[in-house]
Amino acid sequence: WDRWAGLTLLLPHGYEGQGPEHSSARLERFLQLCADQNMEVVYPSTGAQLFHLLRRQAKRNFRKPLIVMTPKKYLRAETSRTDELLTGSFQHLIGDPQLDAAASRKVTKVVYCSGKIYHELNERRISSKKSDVAIVRVEQLYPFHTALAREIDARYPANAKRVWAQEETRNAGAFLHIADTFRQQLGIDLEYIGRAPSASPATGSEHTHKDQQEKLLTLAVGPLGGSGAPAAGPHSNGSPS
């Protein structure tokens, strides 16, 4: 229609054990609407990223709709330093800041993720003392920055396992979209780690939620203490739950 639209949606999204209506902004449905550079869909992991994202939206010399997943938990937590707000810009993808070049060459698994789950994955990596797992954040899901993704992925050994970890169910969240993107644009087949397919966005039981989340983190990074095997639960490449 030759009309610019700067519509910006900040949609509550993130699994916290509070039931279906508190968990999902239906990220997968927005991604299904994406084509021809018609909108931007993002799931920022820090306050600085959100700040630079909104600043970018306001200062651009063009307008298009911006869809933002905003987890409730990290709206109440400090995830950025003041200098990160004063300098820099929005990053489409963020390589693992915990690993230097030497450590990156020893990685055996690269966990790709988006948004809130990064913080839980990183906390599990610290508590389990895993030094061979890299965690890479895809902050902008569409349009996808292929060149940056290729540059970041090249930091890690070619034989390292590549997985996508998400807290949403397999038929929801970003997995189906991002797996196709990685396969078509990067030649990478991502293994899936997350909840099993479900007709409901999330369980209504906080106990079940915590059990599922624990198994997800164990599959993606490792168990607390760095030993043991995960019990059945969230899917890893479609294995039964």
Short mmCIF file of all heavy atoms in Angstrom, two decimals, residues 135-177:
data_model
loop_
_atom_site.label_atom_id
_atom_site.label_comp_id
_atom_site.label_asym_id
_atom_site.label_seq_id
_atom_site.Cartn_x
_atom_site.Cartn_y
_atom_site.Cartn_z
N ILE A 135 27.26 -20.75 24.10
CA ILE A 135 25.85 -20.34 24.01
C ILE A 135 25.78 -19.08 23.15
O ILE A 135 26.36 -18.05 23.50
CB ILE A 135 25.26 -20.08 25.40
CG1 ILE A 135 25.45 -21.29 26.32
CG2 ILE A 135 23.77 -19.74 25.28
CD1 ILE A 135 25.02 -21.05 27.75
N VAL A 136 25.09 -19.18 22.04
CA VAL A 136 24.97 -18.08 21.08
C VAL A 136 23.52 -17.62 21.03
O VAL A 136 22.60 -18.43 20.90
CB VAL A 136 25.43 -18.51 19.68
CG1 VAL A 136 25.27 -17.37 18.69
CG2 VAL A 136 26.89 -18.98 19.72
N ARG A 137 23.33 -16.31 21.13
CA ARG A 137 21.98 -15.75 21.15
C ARG A 137 21.59 -15.20 19.78
O ARG A 137 22.31 -14.39 19.20
CB ARG A 137 21.90 -14.63 22.18
CG ARG A 137 21.85 -15.10 23.60
CD ARG A 137 22.09 -13.94 24.56
NE ARG A 137 23.52 -13.70 24.77
CZ ARG A 137 24.01 -12.71 25.51
NH1 ARG A 137 23.18 -11.86 26.09
NH2 ARG A 137 25.30 -12.58 25.67
N VAL A 138 20.44 -15.64 19.28
CA VAL A 138 19.85 -15.06 18.09
C VAL A 138 18.83 -14.03 18.58
O VAL A 138 17.73 -14.36 18.98
CB VAL A 138 19.17 -16.12 17.20
CG1 VAL A 138 18.56 -15.48 15.96
CG2 VAL A 138 20.18 -17.20 16.81
N GLU A 139 19.23 -12.77 18.56
CA GLU A 139 18.39 -11.71 19.11
C GLU A 139 17.32 -11.25 18.11
O GLU A 139 16.21 -10.92 18.51
CB GLU A 139 19.26 -10.52 19.52
CG GLU A 139 20.34 -10.86 20.54
CD GLU A 139 19.82 -10.89 21.96
OE1 GLU A 139 19.45 -9.82 22.48
OE2 GLU A 139 19.80 -11.98 22.55
N GLN A 140 17.67 -11.21 16.84
CA GLN A 140 16.68 -10.88 15.81
C GLN A 140 16.44 -12.12 14.96
O GLN A 140 17.33 -12.61 14.27
CB GLN A 140 17.15 -9.73 14.92
CG GLN A 140 16.14 -9.36 13.85
CD GLN A 140 16.37 -7.99 13.25
OE1 GLN A 140 16.39 -6.98 13.95
NE2 GLN A 140 16.56 -7.92 11.94
N LEU A 141 15.22 -12.62 15.04
CA LEU A 141 14.86 -13.85 14.35
C LEU A 141 14.51 -13.60 12.89
O LEU A 141 14.72 -14.46 12.03
CB LEU A 141 13.69 -14.52 15.07
CG LEU A 141 14.03 -14.99 16.49
CD1 LEU A 141 12.78 -15.13 17.34
CD2 LEU A 141 14.79 -16.31 16.45
N TYR A 142 13.94 -12.43 12.61
CA TYR A 142 13.63 -12.05 11.24
C TYR A 142 13.70 -10.54 11.12
O TYR A 142 13.20 -9.83 11.98
CB TYR A 142 12.24 -12.54 10.82
CG TYR A 142 11.97 -12.29 9.35
CD1 TYR A 142 12.32 -13.23 8.40
CD2 TYR A 142 11.39 -11.09 8.93
CE1 TYR A 142 12.11 -12.98 7.05
CE2 TYR A 142 11.18 -10.84 7.58
CZ TYR A 142 11.54 -11.79 6.65
OH TYR A 142 11.32 -11.54 5.31
N PRO A 143 14.31 -10.01 10.03
CA PRO A 143 15.15 -10.72 9.06
C PRO A 143 16.42 -11.26 9.73
O PRO A 143 16.94 -10.65 10.66
CB PRO A 143 15.50 -9.64 8.04
CG PRO A 143 14.49 -8.56 8.23
CD PRO A 143 14.16 -8.58 9.68
N PHE A 144 16.91 -12.37 9.23
CA PHE A 144 18.05 -13.05 9.81
C PHE A 144 19.35 -12.53 9.21
O PHE A 144 19.47 -12.37 7.99
CB PHE A 144 17.93 -14.56 9.56
CG PHE A 144 18.99 -15.38 10.21
CD1 PHE A 144 19.01 -15.54 11.59
CD2 PHE A 144 19.96 -16.02 9.45
CE1 PHE A 144 19.98 -16.32 12.20
CE2 PHE A 144 20.93 -16.81 10.06
CZ PHE A 144 20.94 -16.96 11.43
N HIS A 145 20.32 -12.25 10.08
CA HIS A 145 21.62 -11.71 9.64
C HIS A 145 22.55 -12.89 9.32
O HIS A 145 23.34 -13.34 10.14
CB HIS A 145 22.22 -10.84 10.74
CG HIS A 145 23.28 -9.89 10.27
ND1 HIS A 145 24.30 -10.26 9.42
CD2 HIS A 145 23.47 -8.56 10.52
CE1 HIS A 145 25.08 -9.23 9.18
NE2 HIS A 145 24.59 -8.18 9.83
N THR A 146 22.48 -13.37 8.08
CA THR A 146 23.21 -14.57 7.68
C THR A 146 24.72 -14.40 7.79
O THR A 146 25.41 -15.29 8.29
CB THR A 146 22.84 -14.96 6.24
OG1 THR A 146 21.41 -15.08 6.13
CG2 THR A 146 23.48 -16.27 5.84
N ALA A 147 25.24 -13.28 7.35
CA ALA A 147 26.69 -13.08 7.36
C ALA A 147 27.24 -13.09 8.77
O ALA A 147 28.28 -13.70 9.05
CB ALA A 147 27.04 -11.77 6.65
N LEU A 148 26.55 -12.43 9.70
CA LEU A 148 27.00 -12.40 11.08
C LEU A 148 26.90 -13.79 11.71
O LEU A 148 27.79 -14.22 12.46
CB LEU A 148 26.19 -11.40 11.89
CG LEU A 148 26.54 -11.26 13.37
CD1 LEU A 148 28.00 -10.87 13.55
CD2 LEU A 148 25.62 -10.25 14.05
N ALA A 149 25.83 -14.50 11.41
CA ALA A 149 25.68 -15.86 11.93
C ALA A 149 26.80 -16.77 11.44
O ALA A 149 27.36 -17.57 12.21
CB ALA A 149 24.32 -16.43 11.52
N ARG A 150 27.16 -16.63 10.20
CA ARG A 150 28.25 -17.45 9.64
C ARG A 150 29.58 -17.11 10.31
O ARG A 150 30.38 -18.01 10.61
CB ARG A 150 28.32 -17.23 8.13
CG ARG A 150 29.31 -18.15 7.43
CD ARG A 150 29.27 -17.96 5.91
NE ARG A 150 28.03 -18.49 5.35
CZ ARG A 150 27.11 -17.74 4.74
NH1 ARG A 150 27.28 -16.43 4.63
NH2 ARG A 150 26.02 -18.29 4.24
N GLU A 151 29.82 -15.83 10.55
CA GLU A 151 31.06 -15.40 11.19
C GLU A 151 31.15 -15.92 12.63
O GLU A 151 32.21 -16.39 13.06
CB GLU A 151 31.15 -13.87 11.17
CG GLU A 151 32.45 -13.30 11.69
CD GLU A 151 32.44 -13.09 13.20
OE1 GLU A 151 31.40 -12.64 13.72
OE2 GLU A 151 33.46 -13.38 13.86
N ILE A 152 30.06 -15.85 13.37
CA ILE A 152 30.06 -16.32 14.75
C ILE A 152 30.20 -17.84 14.80
O ILE A 152 30.98 -18.38 15.59
CB ILE A 152 28.77 -15.87 15.47
CG1 ILE A 152 28.80 -14.36 15.70
CG2 ILE A 152 28.60 -16.60 16.80
CD1 ILE A 152 27.53 -13.79 16.30
N ASP A 153 29.48 -18.55 13.94
CA ASP A 153 29.55 -20.01 13.96
C ASP A 153 30.94 -20.51 13.62
O ASP A 153 31.37 -21.55 14.15
CB ASP A 153 28.53 -20.59 12.97
CG ASP A 153 28.39 -22.09 13.10
OD1 ASP A 153 27.69 -22.55 14.04
OD2 ASP A 153 29.00 -22.82 12.30
N ALA A 154 31.67 -19.78 12.80
CA ALA A 154 33.01 -20.20 12.39
C ALA A 154 34.02 -20.14 13.54
O ALA A 154 35.12 -20.68 13.42
CB ALA A 154 33.50 -19.32 11.23
N ARG A 155 33.66 -19.51 14.66
CA ARG A 155 34.55 -19.45 15.80
C ARG A 155 34.69 -20.81 16.49
O ARG A 155 35.63 -21.04 17.25
CB ARG A 155 34.04 -18.43 16.83
CG ARG A 155 33.93 -17.01 16.30
CD ARG A 155 33.26 -16.11 17.33
NE ARG A 155 32.97 -14.78 16.76
CZ ARG A 155 32.29 -13.84 17.40
NH1 ARG A 155 31.84 -14.09 18.64
NH2 ARG A 155 32.06 -12.69 16.83
N TYR A 156 33.74 -21.71 16.23
CA TYR A 156 33.69 -22.98 16.94
C TYR A 156 34.02 -24.13 15.99
O TYR A 156 33.83 -24.02 14.78
CB TYR A 156 32.30 -23.16 17.56
CG TYR A 156 31.87 -21.92 18.33
CD1 TYR A 156 30.85 -21.10 17.86
CD2 TYR A 156 32.52 -21.55 19.50
CE1 TYR A 156 30.48 -19.95 18.54
CE2 TYR A 156 32.16 -20.40 20.18
CZ TYR A 156 31.13 -19.60 19.69
OH TYR A 156 30.79 -18.45 20.36
N PRO A 157 34.54 -25.23 16.53
CA PRO A 157 34.95 -26.35 15.67
C PRO A 157 33.80 -26.84 14.78
O PRO A 157 32.64 -26.89 15.21
CB PRO A 157 35.37 -27.43 16.68
CG PRO A 157 35.74 -26.67 17.91
CD PRO A 157 34.81 -25.50 17.96
N ALA A 158 34.15 -27.23 13.56
CA ALA A 158 33.13 -27.70 12.62
C ALA A 158 32.45 -28.97 13.10
O ALA A 158 31.29 -29.23 12.77
CB ALA A 158 33.78 -27.92 11.25
N ASN A 159 33.18 -29.78 13.90
CA ASN A 159 32.60 -31.04 14.36
C ASN A 159 31.83 -30.91 15.68
O ASN A 159 31.34 -31.91 16.22
CB ASN A 159 33.68 -32.12 14.49
CG ASN A 159 34.76 -31.74 15.51
OD1 ASN A 159 34.77 -30.61 16.02
ND2 ASN A 159 35.64 -32.68 15.82
N ALA A 160 31.73 -29.70 16.21
CA ALA A 160 30.95 -29.50 17.44
C ALA A 160 29.46 -29.64 17.10
O ALA A 160 29.01 -29.25 16.03
CB ALA A 160 31.23 -28.12 18.03
N LYS A 161 28.71 -30.21 18.03
CA LYS A 161 27.28 -30.36 17.82
C LYS A 161 26.60 -29.00 17.86
O LYS A 161 26.90 -28.17 18.70
CB LYS A 161 26.69 -31.28 18.91
CG LYS A 161 25.18 -31.51 18.78
CD LYS A 161 24.63 -32.30 19.95
CE LYS A 161 25.15 -33.71 19.95
NZ LYS A 161 24.48 -34.54 21.01
N ARG A 162 25.67 -28.78 16.94
CA ARG A 162 24.87 -27.55 16.92
C ARG A 162 23.44 -27.89 17.34
O ARG A 162 22.82 -28.78 16.73
CB ARG A 162 24.85 -26.93 15.53
CG ARG A 162 25.91 -25.86 15.28
CD ARG A 162 27.31 -26.39 15.24
NE ARG A 162 28.26 -25.36 14.81
CZ ARG A 162 29.56 -25.54 14.75
NH1 ARG A 162 30.09 -26.71 15.10
NH2 ARG A 162 30.37 -24.57 14.38
N VAL A 163 22.92 -27.19 18.35
CA VAL A 163 21.57 -27.45 18.82
C VAL A 163 20.82 -26.13 18.98
O VAL A 163 21.42 -25.07 19.11
CB VAL A 163 21.56 -28.21 20.16
CG1 VAL A 163 22.39 -29.48 20.09
CG2 VAL A 163 22.05 -27.33 21.30
N TRP A 164 19.51 -26.22 18.95
CA TRP A 164 18.65 -25.08 19.26
C TRP A 164 17.90 -25.42 20.55
O TRP A 164 17.23 -26.45 20.63
CB TRP A 164 17.65 -24.80 18.15
CG TRP A 164 16.70 -23.69 18.50
CD1 TRP A 164 15.45 -23.81 19.03
CD2 TRP A 164 16.94 -22.28 18.37
NE1 TRP A 164 14.88 -22.58 19.24
CE2 TRP A 164 15.78 -21.62 18.84
CE3 TRP A 164 18.01 -21.52 17.89
CZ2 TRP A 164 15.68 -20.22 18.84
CZ3 TRP A 164 17.90 -20.14 17.89
CH2 TRP A 164 16.74 -19.51 18.37
N ALA A 165 18.02 -24.56 21.55
CA ALA A 165 17.34 -24.78 22.83
C ALA A 165 16.26 -23.72 23.01
O ALA A 165 16.53 -22.52 22.84
CB ALA A 165 18.33 -24.73 23.99
N GLN A 166 15.07 -24.14 23.35
CA GLN A 166 13.99 -23.20 23.63
C GLN A 166 13.11 -23.79 24.71
O GLN A 166 13.05 -25.00 24.91
CB GLN A 166 13.16 -22.92 22.38
CG GLN A 166 12.37 -24.12 21.86
CD GLN A 166 11.49 -23.75 20.66
OE1 GLN A 166 11.87 -22.95 19.81
NE2 GLN A 166 10.31 -24.34 20.60
N GLU A 167 12.42 -22.91 25.44
CA GLU A 167 11.53 -23.40 26.49
C GLU A 167 10.12 -23.63 25.97
O GLU A 167 9.32 -24.32 26.62
CB GLU A 167 11.51 -22.44 27.67
CG GLU A 167 11.23 -20.99 27.33
CD GLU A 167 11.36 -20.08 28.54
OE1 GLU A 167 11.81 -20.56 29.60
OE2 GLU A 167 11.01 -18.90 28.44
N GLU A 168 9.80 -23.11 24.80
CA GLU A 168 8.49 -23.37 24.21
C GLU A 168 8.40 -24.82 23.72
O GLU A 168 9.40 -25.51 23.59
CB GLU A 168 8.24 -22.43 23.02
CG GLU A 168 8.26 -20.96 23.37
CD GLU A 168 9.62 -20.32 23.22
OE1 GLU A 168 10.62 -21.07 23.15
OE2 GLU A 168 9.70 -19.07 23.20
N THR A 169 7.18 -25.25 23.43
CA THR A 169 6.99 -26.59 22.87
C THR A 169 7.52 -26.62 21.44
O THR A 169 7.71 -25.59 20.80
CB THR A 169 5.49 -26.97 22.87
OG1 THR A 169 4.77 -26.01 22.09
CG2 THR A 169 4.94 -26.99 24.28
N ARG A 170 7.74 -27.83 20.93
CA ARG A 170 8.37 -27.96 19.60
C ARG A 170 7.53 -27.33 18.50
O ARG A 170 8.07 -26.78 17.54
CB ARG A 170 8.62 -29.44 19.29
CG ARG A 170 9.38 -29.65 17.99
CD ARG A 170 9.67 -31.10 17.70
NE ARG A 170 10.40 -31.22 16.44
CZ ARG A 170 11.58 -31.80 16.30
NH1 ARG A 170 12.19 -32.31 17.35
NH2 ARG A 170 12.17 -31.88 15.13
N ASN A 171 6.22 -27.41 18.61
CA ASN A 171 5.35 -26.85 17.59
C ASN A 171 5.06 -25.37 17.82
O ASN A 171 4.23 -24.77 17.14
CB ASN A 171 4.03 -27.63 17.49
CG ASN A 171 3.28 -27.68 18.81
OD1 ASN A 171 3.89 -27.78 19.88
ND2 ASN A 171 1.96 -27.63 18.76
N ALA A 172 5.75 -24.76 18.79
CA ALA A 172 5.63 -23.33 19.07
C ALA A 172 7.04 -22.73 19.11
O ALA A 172 8.03 -23.41 18.83
CB ALA A 172 4.89 -23.09 20.38
N GLY A 173 7.13 -21.47 19.48
CA GLY A 173 8.44 -20.84 19.57
C GLY A 173 9.10 -20.68 18.21
O GLY A 173 8.46 -20.73 17.17
N ALA A 174 10.41 -20.52 18.21
CA ALA A 174 11.14 -20.16 16.99
C ALA A 174 11.73 -21.36 16.25
O ALA A 174 12.23 -21.19 15.13
CB ALA A 174 12.27 -19.18 17.33
N PHE A 175 11.68 -22.56 16.82
CA PHE A 175 12.48 -23.66 16.28
C PHE A 175 12.19 -23.97 14.81
O PHE A 175 13.11 -24.05 13.99
CB PHE A 175 12.30 -24.94 17.10
CG PHE A 175 12.98 -26.13 16.47
CD1 PHE A 175 14.36 -26.19 16.38
CD2 PHE A 175 12.24 -27.17 15.93
CE1 PHE A 175 14.99 -27.26 15.77
CE2 PHE A 175 12.87 -28.25 15.33
CZ PHE A 175 14.25 -28.30 15.24
N LEU A 176 10.93 -24.18 14.46
CA LEU A 176 10.62 -24.59 13.08
C LEU A 176 11.09 -23.53 12.08
O LEU A 176 11.60 -23.86 11.00
CB LEU A 176 9.12 -24.86 12.94
CG LEU A 176 8.59 -26.03 13.77
CD1 LEU A 176 7.09 -26.19 13.58
CD2 LEU A 176 9.32 -27.33 13.42
N HIS A 177 10.95 -22.28 12.44
CA HIS A 177 11.39 -21.19 11.56
C HIS A 177 12.92 -21.13 11.50
O HIS A 177 13.50 -21.08 10.41
CB HIS A 177 10.84 -19.86 12.07
CG HIS A 177 11.37 -18.67 11.34
ND1 HIS A 177 10.77 -18.17 10.21
CD2 HIS A 177 12.46 -17.87 11.57
CE1 HIS A 177 11.46 -17.12 9.77
NE2 HIS A 177 12.48 -16.92 10.58
#
